[in-house]
Each structure stands twice: as structure tokens, then as C-alpha cells.
Amino acid sequence: DIQMTQSPSSLSASVGDRVTITCQASQDISNYLNWYQQKPGKAPKLLIYDASNLETGVPSRFSGSGSGTDFTFTISSLQPEDIATYYCQQYDNLPQYTFGQGTKLEIK
Amino acid sequence: QVQLQESGPGLVKPSQTLSLTCTVSGGSISSGSYYWSWIRQPAGKGLEWIGRIYTSGSTNYNPSLKSRVTISVDTSKNQFSLKLSSVTAADTAVYYCASGVAGSFDYWGQGTLVTVSS
């Protein structure tokens, strides 16, 4: 099984800050990595697919990078509406999907 | 725009079978290359993929749940369903239906809370 380790598990930042979340895979997953945003009481929303591609309609302050085992998700300038929990998800060994444990982002 | 909506009992007794249905609107469940999945999330915890079905009827399940899970599709009703047998309190969670092409989950239902309790 491929394990996904996100860090940090929680993060507090100020409006306008640059925020970075990392996700590490237990083995090489190429670029088969997606990022989701989940606001309280809501379903997750796909933000980034294939490690670095922005889903249609998602603000450009969100970005993703990485390949192999190490991936990064970045918010270039944190906005109040970005408060959420963020998850990475791998799909290298389809038909199995694995999510990271999540990173809870709060406003300082 | 595809929309998904979960339905089913919110309370299930231990050892019984949890049954949920996802109704798809805004598109045919038979068209395209979409996989139709179930994902769950215990309160305050992360996301766990349960399994998926393709419109052909072929299924794939999470090995940790495989012995208890059945996912089926009813193309005439534009629905797919989840059955999870022999439930325990550990199966209490918000259950989501979701769809996507291959590796991502592009569309999600709003989620439905299922509590396992006597």
C-alpha cells in the first residue's frame, strides 16, 4: 500500500501570507497526485490535479508542484475564504486511492 | 454539470447492513468514462475510499473493506448504490458519493451521516 504523509497537520497563518503544505508518498507515484479543499460541513473540492494542474475555476493563488515522492501545495496570498482542511490524494496504483491525513488551515 | 445526491437511513444497528444510494443528475451515469465511487469520513478524521464502479458494472474495492462491501449500478434510474454489511460503531461516518475520470474525484455529493448504534 502507498502511504501519504502530509505536513503540517495544522497551520495558522495571517491573511496575505504564503502558505505551503507538503505531501510525501511512501514510494514513487510520478505525478499522480491531487489536492482537495474541504470546508467545514462540506464535501471536498478538487483544486489541483496531476500534481500541478489547476482545476477550472480555481483561483490562481493556488498551485501545486512536485513529482516522485515529494509534493508541495501553495497558497500564494492567504485569503479568509481559504480556511479549510486540505488533502492530498494519490492514484498511482489504481484502482486503489489513498488520501493524506489532512492539513487544517486556520487564520492567525 | 453533474450533480450527486446521497440518500439512505441515517441510523443503522450494529451487525446490520448499511445501504445508501447516490442519484446522478445533469448527465447520464452510462455516458463518458466516469468511475462512480463511495468515500467516507469519520467525524474529525480523514477521507477513506471505499470502492468504485464503472458503467459496465465492473467494481473495485478497498482491500480493508472488500469482504463487506458491494457497489452496484442501476442505469435505468441513473443511480449507484453501496451496501456495507456487518457494521460496527467504527463504520459511523459521513458517506460521500463521488465521480471522476480515472484518478481524481471531480464531482461530490453533499454527504450523508450514517450512525451505527443500537
Side-chain angles (χ1 to χ4, degrees):
Chain A
D1 289 5
I2 299 176
Q3 306 301 318
M4 306 302 295
T5 304
Q6 274 184 247
S7 61
S9 56
S10 64
L11 175 58
S12 182
S14 300
V15 173
D17 281 355
R18 182 180 184 87
V19 171
T20 298
I21 297 168
T22 64
C23 183
Q24 185 170 59
S26 59
Q27 65 188 65
D28 189 333
I29 60 169
S30 185
N31 68 330
Y32 300 133
L33 191 284
N34 303 318
W35 289 96
Y36 298 83
Q37 175 193 66
Q38 185 179 33
K39 295 185 177 181
K42 301 294 186 181
K45 173 186 175 183
L46 178 66
L47 299 182
I48 303 285
Y49 64 95
D50 296 348
S52 60
N53 295 295
L54 197 65
E55 179 75 344
T56 302
V58 173
S60 59
R61 64 180 180 274
F62 296 101
S63 65
S65 64
S67 65
T69 60
D70 296 303
F71 301 87
T72 300
F73 172 82
T74 300
I75 305 174
S76 61
S77 178
L78 184 66
Q79 301 301 303
E81 60 267 29
D82 299 337
I83 297 313
T85 299
Y86 293 85
Y87 293 93
C88 61
Q89 172 245 318
Q90 71 80 25
Y91 59 99
D92 178 67
N93 63 335
L94 285 176
Q96 300 303 316
Y97 306 84
T98 311
F99 292 89
Q101 77 274 27
T103 296
K104 186 174 183 180
L105 177 56
E106 299 175 327
I107 291 286
K108 191 181 294 183
Chain B
Q1 176 83 348
V2 173
Q3 293 183 312
L4 307 175
Q5 178 68 58
E6 306 88 352
S7 60
L11 181 64
V12 181
K13 289 181 167 48
S15 79
Q16 293 191 342
T17 296
L18 177 161
S19 296
L20 296 174
T21 296
C22 182
T23 300
V24 179
S25 58
S28 170
I29 200 170
S30 302
S31 65
S33 302
Y34 283 93
Y35 288 89
W36 308 92
S37 284
W38 288 97
I39 295 164
R40 69 180 182 178
Q41 184 174 39
K45 296 188 178 180
L47 300 159
E48 180 180 34
W49 177 74
I50 298 170
R52 72 178 190 180
I53 190 165
Y54 192 57
T55 53
S56 64
S58 66
T59 54
N60 304 104
Y61 301 127
N62 186 322
S64 69
L65 297 168
K66 185 175 183 178
S67 64
R68 299 194 291 132
V69 174
T70 302
I71 297 176
S72 59
V73 64
D74 187 337
T75 54
S76 67
K77 294 182 179 179
N78 229 30
Q79 296 175 335
F80 63 106
S81 299
L82 168 71
K83 291 189 185 297
L84 180 66
S85 64
S86 304
V87 298
T88 69
D91 296 309
T92 294
V94 174
Y95 285 74
Y96 294 99
C97 56
S99 68
V101 177
S104 63
F105 302 105
D106 305 327
Y107 303 103
W108 294 71
Q110 64 186 27
T112 188
L113 174 62
V114 178
T115 301
V116 178
S117 175
S118 55

